[in-house]
Amino acid sequence: MSHVPVMTAAVLEHLRPGNGGLFVDCTVGLGGHARALLEAGATRLIGIDRDLDALARARETLAPWSDRVELVHADYRAIDEVLDRRQIDRVDGALADLGVSSMQFDSPGRGFSFQRDEPLDMRMDRSGGDTAADLVARSTERDIADAIFQFGEERLSRRIARAIVEARREGPIDTTGRLATIVRRALPRRGYLRIDPATRTFQALRIWVNRELDGLDRFIEAAARRLKTGARLVVIAFHSLEDRIVKHTLRALQQRDALVQVLTKKPIVPRDEEVERNPRARSAKLRAAERIA
Ligand code: SAH
């Protein structure tokens, strides 16, 4: 299974690893961007990921540079601890390519996709925490509805939550197939649909399980504070909820704190050809900022 890194040219253009330096890839994933940074001149790289399977893949991808790379199993929201523990004060560039990787999405048994029937897990970090099945089993109808509404931007969230609560009385909702069927049945039939009606609910659950939006603002601020003057932070978001946080946080760091200069007035988006080649790029938005103070 391959994972094609998104907007690599724009990442390199903004991070400018050509003169070497220490870069931190906060979502190293399969190591695609990290490899590009090393090939382009980065002399040292710290790669963080909360998914052990991803780190194993990154280790393979980055094997030719193993003496210059350190891979760390951590949540990027712990970036300060990760750097402090290594006595690193500031870095020459930082990258966060948010969301799930195509490996996570496509790997059987992880439960991110409703295209296959498998256990309803959805945790990026399988070393602990609640699975999607746990949340669906234990949460109140109200909390389920709120999560589907907030994280899935699904207008019919209440109806779906009601159907979930009714169905779970009959038996656990612990597979992607069963959940997808419940959601599809709860929604009115329409004619032609561009996307599967379960898409938004699955996105919502994934964000909920992994607390993807919690502390994203604090992480971005922490990463920006770890940049050397003139160094840059690049963040790639994959849905509007995420991108909104990235945009507002970078703007506040510029206007309120005079810490950075935002380099992307509008987000950079992939070209059509890239989206054709790589479906994961479809909704990607890249924003970058340079440390000034
Ligand atoms: N840029 C990578 C792909 C990144 S995909 C490449 O080129 O290969 C996004 C990765 O971010 C996934 O591997 C996911 O496990 C990781 N991730 C998502 N949220 C995270 C978090 N809070 N902390 C650490 N890693 C996270």
Side-chain angles (χ1 to χ4, degrees):
M1 237 160 293
S2 69
H3 176 100
V4 189
V6 171
M7 287 190 275
T8 306
V11 168
L12 293 176
E13 209 175 284
H14 285 91
L15 289 181
R16 303 182 300 191
N19 295 324
L22 166 60
F23 290 78
V24 53
D25 185 343
C26 303
T27 54
V28 72
L30 294 96
H33 285 126
R35 185 207 343 233
L37 287 166
L38 289 157
E39 279 170 348
T43 37
R44 195 175 159 204
L45 183 127
I46 296 193
I48 300 172
D49 207 289
R50 81 213 284 205
D51 183 336
L52 285 166
D53 294 356
L55 289 170
R57 291 289 299 273
R59 188 156 287 123
E60 284 172 27
T61 311
L62 304 177
W65 300 273
S66 57
D67 52 336
R68 296 199 248 150
V69 173
E70 190 180 352
L71 296 173
V72 186
H73 183 226
D75 191 304
Y76 54 61
R77 288 167 284 209
I79 185 172
D80 280 323
E81 279 168 61
V82 170
L83 297 180
D84 286 347
R85 219 179 298 137
R86 288 160 183 82
Q87 289 162 345
I88 295 165
D89 183 20
R90 301 225 205 158
V91 300
D92 297 287
L95 171 66
D97 175 19
L98 304 172
V100 285
S101 68
S102 41
M103 178 199 73
Q104 289 166 331
F105 205 78
D106 297 337
S107 294
R110 307 274 325 235
F112 287 105
S113 167
F114 49 78
Q115 314 283 10
R116 284 180 308 265
D117 190 20
E118 54 189 41
L120 188 61
D121 188 328
M122 296 198 185
R123 286 170 304 164
M124 292 187 197
D125 185 350
R126 288 188 286 179
S127 64
D130 286 335
T131 64
D134 293 333
L135 288 180
V136 162
R138 284 200 235 112
S139 306
T140 61
E141 182 176 329
R142 171 78 189 272
D143 285 348
I144 295 173
D146 287 351
I148 295 174
F149 182 73
Q150 204 193 329
F151 302 142
E153 300 182 285
E154 167 61 85
R155 284 179 308 110
L156 300 173
S157 56
R158 283 174 198 279
R159 198 187 293 206
I160 296 168
R162 195 177 320 126
I164 287 174
V165 168
E166 272 164 25
R168 78 183 179 191
R169 289 197 195 105
E170 271 142 44
I173 305 171
D174 51 11
T175 62
T176 52
R178 178 149 146 82
L179 179 65
T181 306
I182 293 163
V183 175
R184 289 180 192 127
R185 283 205 194 119
L187 296 176
R189 293 209 174 279
R190 297 202 203 95
Y192 170 77
L193 283 179
R194 201 171 54 87
I195 61 164
D196 188 295
T199 307
R200 279 190 286 272
T201 299
F202 270 69
Q203 175 187 304
L205 272 178
R206 195 200 91 203
I207 293 173
W208 192 17
V209 167
N210 295 295
R211 300 178 299 109
E212 288 178 39
L213 304 177
D214 289 1
L216 181 54
D217 52 350
R218 266 168 288 136
F219 157 67
I220 290 170
E221 171 157 2
R225 293 196 180 281
R226 289 293 188 156
L227 297 172
K228 293 181 186 163
T229 304
R232 290 158 166 201
L233 168 67
V234 168
V235 184
I236 307 175
F238 289 87
H239 49 78
S240 52
L241 300 165
E242 221 169 52
D243 183 55
R244 205 172 302 149
I245 296 173
V246 177
K247 175 169 120 185
H248 289 304
T249 308
L250 291 180
R251 188 183 292 161
L253 291 173
Q254 172 171 306
Q255 294 180 352
R256 181 197 62 201
D257 301 340
L259 188 80
V260 302
Q261 170 80 47
V262 176
L263 303 172
T264 45
K265 199 173 242 161
K266 286 205 181 130
I268 298 174
V269 297
R271 298 207 268 174
D272 293 347
E273 329 154 9
E274 177 168 357
V275 177
E276 263 162 48
R277 270 187 290 120
N278 182 10
R280 182 171 179 268
R282 187 168 22 103
S283 42
K285 290 199 163 92
L286 182 152
R287 295 183 188 270
E290 181 173 317
R291 179 77 185 254
I292 50 175

